Amino acid sequence: MAIHPTAIIDNGARLGENVTIGPYAVVEADVEIGEGTAVGAHAVLKTGLRLGKNVTVNEAAVLGGLPQDLKFSGARSYAVVEDGATIREFATIHRSAQEDGVTRIGRNCFIMSYGHVAHDCDIGEDVIIASSTTLGGHIRVGPKAFISGGVVIHQFTRVGELAMVGGGSKVNLDVPPFVTVDGVPARVIGLNTVGLRRAGVAAEEIKTLKGAYRALFREKRSLEQALSELDGLEGELAAKMATFFKSMLR
């Protein structure tokens, strides 16, 4: 364990083995830091934060801060950053506004500098959130999504698995899985074929997704008609896309 002598660590914090904490970092009470995690200089880890194993927290990040919610009344709540995640400089993550609630950053996520994740968000594994992007409260982001820099996402919005959000976009509607959105306001502009290939999705599966995309976005059909066609397509990812849209009909 390597803890700089200028770091301030509350006696109520719990540190795993081989943790590194840099100069002038602050670790408050009721913070857990997992084995092998590294905390940079001037980072602030607030009460209720749970860091997994081998997490990297860069300089001046503030994690577990109080939610920016006018209804928040001091409830005991948490922010969780799971194993292998990287949080870069000046990023901020707020804990939940709900009693015993959790703001979650999934395994191997990468939140770049000045990124902000608000209270009660749930970010899936392997998500990339680029610099200066802001997520409002209660947002759900699916695994392996890529959110570019300078994006603003409205609270209670969903971003689907392996979706891509273009830089500078304003997102105020749900982003379906496997697509690319862009613009102010953001709108679907195509299938995220580059991201799908990089994720190792088979060519046949991508071909099936293209059929689903045409039915949903390119042909003049009602949502019910498009979903009926999707039900006839084979493939796990087409089924996931259908499930996402069916949830909008409830």
Side-chain angles (χ1 to χ4, degrees):
M1 187 178 300
I3 299 176
H4 196 275
T6 62
I8 300 173
I9 302 174
D10 190 278
N11 290 332
R14 297 174 291 280
L15 279 58
E17 296 182 0
N18 301 316
V19 167
T20 301
I21 300 179
Y24 302 101
V26 177
V27 181
E28 294 185 349
D30 192 25
V31 169
E32 295 180 5
I33 303 177
E35 177 183 350
T37 287
V39 179
H42 295 279
V44 180
L45 310 184
K46 308 285 287 183
T47 294
L49 177 67
R50 306 289 186 261
L51 297 180
K53 297 179 181 179
N54 301 312
V55 173
T56 299
V57 180
N58 282 80
E59 292 76 10
V62 181
L63 309 184
L66 294 178
Q68 296 176 145
D69 185 338
L70 295 177
K71 300 185 297 298
F72 179 68
S73 58
R76 179 182 176 88
S77 61
Y78 305 93
V80 174
V81 180
E82 295 182 350
D83 297 351
T86 297
I87 314 297
R88 291 300 301 263
E89 302 85 358
F90 297 96
T92 52
I93 298 169
H94 289 174
R95 62 184 173 96
S96 171
Q98 313 297 319
E99 186 71 39
D100 293 323
V102 175
T103 300
R104 185 182 76 93
I105 309 296
R107 290 181 294 106
N108 301 318
C109 282
F110 186 11
I111 299 179
M112 298 185 190
S113 57
Y114 295 95
H116 174 66
V117 179
H119 62 90
D120 297 286
C121 287
D122 191 326
I123 313 300
E125 63 269 16
D126 299 304
V127 169
I128 296 175
I129 299 175
S131 297
S132 302
T133 283
T134 299
L135 276 62
H138 301 277
I139 288 170
R140 302 290 180 265
V141 181
K144 298 182 180 180
F146 185 100
I147 303 174
S148 302
V151 172
V152 178
I153 304 182
H154 195 275
Q155 62 260 34
F156 292 99
T157 301
R158 296 182 298 166
V159 178
E161 178 180 353
L162 265 168
M164 178 176 179
V165 181
S169 294
K170 170 188 173 183
V171 179
N172 57 3
L173 295 174
D174 285 352
V175 177
F178 317 120
V179 305
T180 298
V181 301
D182 196 18
V184 180
R187 294 294 181 263
V188 175
I189 61 171
L191 197 66
N192 184 20
T193 52
V194 173
L196 289 163
R197 292 191 188 105
R198 288 176 176 171
V201 177
E204 191 63 29
E205 187 90 55
I206 294 175
K207 182 179 178 181
T208 302
L209 272 179
K210 287 180 178 179
Y213 177 84
R214 284 194 300 271
L216 287 163
F217 298 106
R218 289 291 178 259
E219 298 174 359
K220 294 182 178 179
R221 303 184 183 191
S222 68
L223 179 56
E224 290 82 358
Q225 290 172 329
L227 289 174
S228 178
E229 181 168 332
L230 262 64
D231 286 340
L233 297 175
E234 296 183 357
E236 179 184 356
L237 301 192
K240 286 183 176 180
M241 184 174 278
T243 298
F244 185 92
F245 278 94
K246 287 176 181 177
S247 70
M248 299 168 65
L249 297 175
R250 294 170 186 164

